[in-house]
């Protein structure tokens, strides 16, 4: 399955914010190349070739290979943050909100596993400024999950002695789905999301 064909909960790959079409094609090609070969082993010629374009055409839209990775990382992290924030701000008990956050976050990492692998595991390839921006987005992801867990503890619904450590564990569990998920495997993104939501509720000892 190509990056352009991946789905998350039935949604098409969300690169609609990237324009013009040539820039979007280059970005999709970069995701596929980075996921397959790794950032450092991928050349701008590789990316341009996958997009059916010349290397010179790439530089019209992206000054460097790092700029491509930065844009992929920023869009991916913003999408992930939107998923978590929507769940955190929803109505319902802390357990319901945490379950929805995990279901949605896992579904995204499974359904968009090629993109998610690049977004989550190529961070160190970015320069200091770009990396700092992505790290800030990651901290916001962390804050949304921590907020739900703190609400559950305050309400007496969760038994969590270490909120910060549990938050890291929950996010790590969800993110790792991108590393192993196989579209030809026994579970769909929805099924993996449901499984992980149940596991996380057990982790926080949800009582409601």
């Amino acid at each position: 399955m190509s990056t352009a064909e991946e789905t998350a909960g039935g949604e098409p790959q969300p690169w609609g914010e990237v324009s013009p079409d040539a820039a979007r094609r280059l970005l999709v090609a970069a995701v596929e190349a980075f996921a397959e070969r790794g950032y450092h082993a991928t050349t701008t010629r590789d990316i341009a070739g996958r997009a059916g374009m010349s290397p010179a055409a790439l530089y019209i839209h992206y000054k460097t290979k790092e700029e491509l990775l930065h844009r992929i990382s920023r869009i991916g992290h913003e999408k992930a943050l939107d998923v978590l924030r929507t769940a955190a701000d929803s109505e319902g008990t802390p357990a319901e909100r945490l379950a929805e956050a995990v279901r949605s976050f896992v579904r995204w990492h499974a359904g968009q596993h090629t993109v998610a692998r690049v977004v989550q595991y190529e961070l160190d390839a970015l320069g200091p400024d770009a990396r700092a921006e992505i790290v800030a987005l990651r901290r916001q992801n962390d804050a949304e999950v921590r907020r739900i867990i703190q609400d559950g503890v305050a309400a007496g619904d969760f038994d969590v002695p270490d909120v910060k450590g549990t938050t890291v564990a929950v996010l790590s569990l969800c993110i790792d789905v991108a590393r192993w998920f196989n579209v030809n495997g026994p579970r769909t993104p929805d099924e993996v999301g449901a499984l992980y939501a149940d596991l996380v509720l057990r982790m926080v000892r949800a009582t409601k």
Side-chain angles (χ1 to χ4, degrees):
M1 178 181 290
S2 73
T3 305
E5 294 171 327
E6 285 184 355
T7 61
E11 294 297 325
Q13 175 62 41
W15 299 119
E17 59 271 77
V18 180
S19 62
D21 180 67
R24 184 164 50 253
R25 285 164 50 203
L26 286 164
L27 187 144
V28 170
V31 169
E32 293 173 346
F34 294 157
E36 180 181 319
R37 306 187 62 185
Y39 175 81
H40 293 294
T42 298
T43 66
T44 53
R45 184 176 293 277
D46 293 332
I47 296 168
R50 285 173 183 260
M53 300 164 68
S54 70
L58 184 148
Y59 294 111
I60 295 173
H61 303 284
Y62 302 99
K63 295 178 182 178
T64 63
K65 183 175 71 167
E66 184 193 342
E67 183 179 336
L68 261 168
L69 178 61
H70 180 208
R71 189 160 194 196
I72 292 164
S73 296
R74 187 177 65 247
I75 292 172
H77 278 87
E78 286 172 345
K79 295 291 183 184
L81 177 58
D82 182 63
V83 164
L84 291 174
R85 184 167 287 158
T86 297
D89 289 340
S90 65
E91 297 181 356
T93 66
E96 290 168 341
R97 290 159 56 210
L98 183 59
E100 179 56 28
V102 171
R103 270 194 301 270
S104 300
F105 200 53
V106 167
R107 191 166 58 235
W108 188 85
H109 280 82
Q112 305 292 348
H113 58 97
T114 303
V115 178
R117 281 202 305 275
V118 175
V119 167
Q120 298 294 355
Y121 297 116
E122 293 287 1
L123 177 64
D124 289 340
L126 294 172
D129 291 343
R131 189 178 190 280
E133 180 184 354
I134 302 306
V135 167
L137 285 169
R138 288 192 175 201
R139 287 175 178 158
Q140 291 182 62
N141 286 338
D142 181 278
E144 294 301 331
V145 174
R146 189 169 63 249
R147 172 159 65 101
I148 302 172
I149 295 175
Q150 286 173 332
D151 287 347
V153 171
D157 295 349
F158 299 163
D159 180 8
V160 180
D162 184 347
V163 171
K164 183 177 180 180
T166 301
T167 299
V168 172
V170 169
L171 287 170
S172 298
L173 185 69
C174 297
I175 287 168
D176 194 56
V177 170
R179 180 185 58 79
W180 61 259
F181 185 79
N182 185 338
V183 293
N184 297 316
R187 288 191 172 96
T188 67
D190 284 337
E191 289 169 340
V192 178
L195 172 64
Y196 275 47
D198 180 68
L199 291 173
V200 168
L201 290 180
R202 293 172 186 270
M203 183 187 299
V204 298
R205 300 186 180 94
T207 60
K208 296 181 182 180

